[in-house]
Structures are given as structure tokens and as C-alpha cells.
Amino acid sequence: MPVVPKYRLVYFNVQGRAEIARLLFHEAGEKFEDHRIEFSEWPAFKPHTPFGQLPVLEYNGKQLAQSGTINRFLAHRFGLAGKTEWEQAQVDEFGGYVSDSLNKLAPWFAEKDPEKKTELYREIKESAIKPLMAKVDHMLEKNGTGWIIGSDLTLADIIIFQAVDMFKHNKAFVECGGMNMNHYRRVQALVERVANRPNIKPYLASRPKTDM
């Protein structure tokens, strides 16, 4: 008999870098163990990871690290990586672009002073986040299918869904001003479309409420 893949996704009890993988699992209707560890457990768990980082995907007893790699692996397995080689390359390209944009938030995450944190967020929102949303809105207009790449949902759409969801609902971002999506109606429509997917909607309603 064929071996049925067994998936175990290990991360902290927050959305963070594992949430896109969780969304991919739920969209595909694939069973997996969503293993959430407490931060206090991390020192003991860390030596058992490939690079001393989370998330880690355990697949049939083997480990795969790096969130972007995990997301691409799952997207390919679940048919969410693009229908052609060119679309798959575009999805990878888009993921890199979004990652570059969101990495500019690193100083904001490190800042502890509330006033400085708010001001820093405003600066990054103007220089990186708004241009990102404008670019995605333009891509959606140009593609004309309601999806960022191709004619159906891909990893690219889930990536931007999670980014927008974070800016709109994450407590720390909201306290700094959040993100008004009224100027990016195509992005907003995409986010609503993803949120109402038959397998994603119930997950969003039941997932643990966490700060990040």
C-alpha cells in the first residue's frame, strides 16, 4: 500500500512565519499536526532543528526548515504553486518581492519605545507597505482574473492575504495605525475572496487568538 504523507508543522503559538503554511494546509484540505510550542520550551527544542530556527516541517520523519522553502514545498504538493513553469517562477518572484518589502519592518519589531515605534511604523508604511499594496493592486488589475498570478488561487494570493490580515488585525500594528485598504480595492477584494474559501473560512473562525 502507498505511504500516506504525515505532516507535522512546528512553530510557536503565534501566527508569525508559520501561518502561510497553515493556510496552505487548510486550503488543500490536508491533515497535519499543528504543533505549537511555548517560548519556554524553545531552548530544549532548538538543538533538534536543522538550523536552530522555527518553523520546521516534519514530513514522513524528515525535517524541512525555512518558512519560504516550506511554503513553496507545500504549494507544489497541493497544486497551489502555479499551473505552468512560468507561473511557478512568477509566484516565486512575487514571494521574494513581498519578503523584501516586509523585511523592512525589522527595525519596527526591534523598537521598544511606544512613540518611536509608532513613528517608525508610519515611515515604513509610507516607504514600503503602501508601495507594496499599490503594486499588488496594479498586478491584479493587469492580470484581470481576480488572482495575482494565473487564473486560480496560488501561494502568491495567500502570501498577500496573510500580510494584509496582519496589518489590519494584529494588535501591535493596529496600535501603530494599522493599514487602510480603501485605496486598494482589488487587494481588498482578493483578501475577502481568500477569507471566504470553503476550507479557509472555518479555520479563520476557529484558529487560536494570538498577538502575532
Side-chain angles (χ1 to χ4, degrees):
M1 294 181 65
V3 176
V4 178
K6 177 173 176 58
Y7 300 98
R8 183 176 187 246
L9 183 65
V10 184
Y11 195 60
F12 303 107
N13 187 28
V14 294
Q15 293 184 27
R17 294 182 179 275
E19 195 63 15
I20 291 172
R22 292 173 183 140
L23 289 165
L24 288 167
F25 275 118
H26 285 282
E27 166 62 24
E30 287 282 347
K31 294 182 178 180
F32 74 107
E33 181 184 345
D34 187 5
H35 186 68
R36 299 173 181 239
I37 69 170
E38 299 301 324
F39 289 101
S40 59
E41 300 176 78
W42 175 232
F45 195 91
K46 185 175 181 178
H48 304 288
T49 63
F51 306 116
Q53 297 173 321
L54 292 179
V56 167
L57 175 68
E58 296 177 1
Y59 171 69
N60 286 337
K62 296 177 288 188
Q63 289 187 320
L64 189 66
Q66 297 294 311
S67 58
T69 301
I70 292 169
N71 296 340
R72 288 190 294 273
F73 173 75
L74 295 176
H76 278 279
R77 284 200 62 84
F78 302 157
L80 297 169
K83 295 179 180 178
T84 66
E85 287 185 349
W86 185 252
E87 285 186 7
Q88 291 166 11
Q90 288 182 301
V91 170
D92 286 348
E93 174 190 53
F94 181 78
Y97 168 62
V98 175
S99 180
D100 287 346
S101 298
L102 298 184
N103 283 343
K104 295 176 182 178
L105 285 164
W108 177 84
F109 281 105
E111 181 58 61
K112 302 301 181 185
D113 181 271
E115 291 186 8
K116 291 181 181 179
K117 196 175 185 73
T118 298
E119 182 59 32
L120 189 56
Y121 177 69
R122 289 172 181 166
E123 293 173 3
I124 297 170
K125 183 164 68 172
E126 292 298 324
S127 65
I129 307 307
K130 284 186 177 181
L132 167 64
M133 295 304 164
K135 179 63 177 178
V136 176
D137 204 74
H138 176 69
M139 291 177 69
L140 285 163
E141 179 183 23
K142 185 177 179 180
N143 193 35
T145 66
W147 306 106
I148 296 172
I149 294 162
S151 59
D152 206 347
L153 177 97
T154 67
L155 170 60
D157 304 297
I158 291 180
I159 286 173
I160 208 63
F161 167 82
Q162 180 56 21
V164 173
D165 190 67
M166 175 179 68
F167 288 124
K168 289 178 64 177
H169 300 117
N170 178 273
K171 181 180 177 182
F173 284 110
V174 171
E175 288 176 349
C176 288
M179 185 69 192
N180 185 345
M181 295 301 298
N182 292 337
H183 299 297
Y184 315 104
R185 61 183 180 84
R186 295 178 189 86
V187 179
Q188 183 63 22
L190 171 67
V191 168
E192 292 173 1
R193 189 176 298 115
V194 174
N196 284 297
R197 299 282 289 187
N199 289 343
I200 288 181
K201 186 175 182 178
Y203 168 64
L204 296 178
S206 62
R207 67 181 173 181
K209 307 298 181 183
T210 61
D211 287 340
M212 293 294 290

